[in-house]
Amino acid sequence: MPTPDRIADLEDLLVDLNRLSAEVILPLFRSDHGLEDKGGAGGFDPVTQADRGAEAAIRRRLSEVVPGHGVIGEEYGEDRPDAEFVWVLDPVDGTRAFIAGLPLWTTLISLRWRGQPLVSSIGQPYLGEVFLGSPAGSRLIRGDTSQALRVRPCSDLSKAIIATTDPSGYFEPDEQAAWARVRAAARLARLGCDAYAYAMVAAGVMDLVIESRACKCWDIEAAAPLLAGAGGVVTDWAGRPIGLNGGQIAIAGDPACLEEALPLLAPAAD
């Protein structure tokens, strides 16, 4: 495990990367963002100049300050993915929200050490927020202020606030049925929050997030250090640790809430 001083340096670098990416992204939000469609026939997979420009800026900075580290990013692929330290980047997670002018998109950055997520951040620069997680704990950074994050107790799924991005757009039929079971058991569900919902679980205002097998590693790895540092848990739909290739994910503040949800998800678990 890297030393506490080294982890603190990596946290500082995460904050700097969020500042750098925000400088690229914010001028394009609710503006001319250069939308393109990467989807094939019958599909829609949007990408903008913000996605590409922010990832390029982050990669340049990493090459300057940690040149031996690897990088995996949504827009520009893999560079030394087997290195001891590997950064996993999604510069604009929630591009659909971004192009709709909704401030629910985030910048996701995580760092693997020897194949396991070590530190991470979920940034929402329009709201001026960086949610940061590491073995030292999790905190919300707003400007010059820092606030410790802690999940809330919610052992009863019937009292839980839950979320997913888009059950009709991302879930396959078996996953839609599993989501419907969990939704029926919960108190309240919110849709369309993308990874901002992960941060809300870490902040102790939501309880459970469920996402589909369509997720890539850059969509979900930032959740793991952030939730661990706030006292939460991140697993796949079978209750196992998440792997390095994306897939189904369940994010919970209270492990007891997740234990209630897992049997409802189990018929569709990979």
Side-chain angles (χ1 to χ4, degrees):
M1 174 74 70
T3 66
D5 286 346
R6 179 59 172 148
I7 288 172
D9 288 342
L10 293 169
E11 290 178 328
D12 290 342
L13 179 53
L14 270 171
V15 174
D16 181 57
L17 295 175
N18 276 273
R19 177 196 58 78
L20 181 66
S21 63
E23 291 175 355
V24 175
I25 296 169
L26 285 178
L28 300 172
F29 184 50
R30 298 179 180 170
S31 184
D32 182 7
H33 43 60
L35 174 66
E36 298 178 25
D37 184 4
K38 297 187 294 184
F44 179 56
D45 187 7
V47 64
T48 71
Q49 293 175 10
D51 300 80
R52 291 174 172 153
E55 184 171 323
I58 293 170
R59 284 174 178 264
R60 284 194 298 269
R61 180 58 56 85
L62 291 173
S63 70
E64 295 167 356
V65 298
V66 284
H69 289 198
V71 182
I72 299 171
E74 180 175 13
E75 303 305 329
Y76 296 109
E78 297 184 349
D79 178 20
R80 286 169 292 180
D82 297 322
E84 181 179 18
F85 290 93
V86 179
W87 297 84
V88 181
L89 312 174
D90 191 348
V92 181
D93 181 82
T95 301
R96 290 167 173 79
F98 183 86
I99 64 176
L102 302 173
L104 293 175
W105 52 273
T106 54
T107 297
L108 304 183
I109 306 173
S110 62
L111 175 62
R112 298 175 185 173
W113 176 68
R114 297 183 178 176
Q116 295 299 318
L118 176 68
V119 299
S120 69
S121 65
I122 297 179
Q124 213 314 309
Y126 189 77
L127 300 177
E129 298 174 332
V130 177
F131 298 84
L132 186 70
S134 81
S138 294
R139 63 189 191 273
L140 168 60
I141 299 170
R142 284 197 187 100
D144 296 328
T145 68
S146 179
Q147 172 188 344
L149 295 174
R150 198 68 189 170
V151 300
R152 68 182 181 184
C154 180
S155 59
D156 186 344
L157 181 58
S158 70
K159 298 178 181 179
I161 300 175
I162 70 172
T164 194
T165 298
D166 183 356
S168 63
Y170 293 113
F171 286 153
E172 295 180 13
D174 61 333
E175 293 175 316
Q176 289 189 35
W179 162 258
R181 289 189 291 270
V182 177
R183 172 65 189 92
R187 170 173 287 175
L188 174 67
R190 296 289 83 194
L191 307 180
C193 301
D194 295 286
Y196 194 71
Y198 309 170
M200 293 301 94
V201 176
V205 293
M206 296 182 74
D207 303 297
L208 178 68
V209 181
I210 295 166
E211 298 291 2
S212 78
R213 60 174 61 98
C215 288
K216 307 300 184 185
C217 62
W218 49 76
D219 296 314
I220 62 177
E221 284 193 29
L226 179 66
L227 268 294
V233 60
V234 178
T235 74
D236 68 10
W237 285 20
R240 301 167 299 207
I242 61 170
L244 299 180
N245 298 310
Q248 296 167 329
I249 186 172
I251 296 167
D254 191 324
C257 185
L258 177 62
E259 287 303 313
E260 277 198 48
L262 286 176
L264 306 176
L265 297 171
D270 291 336

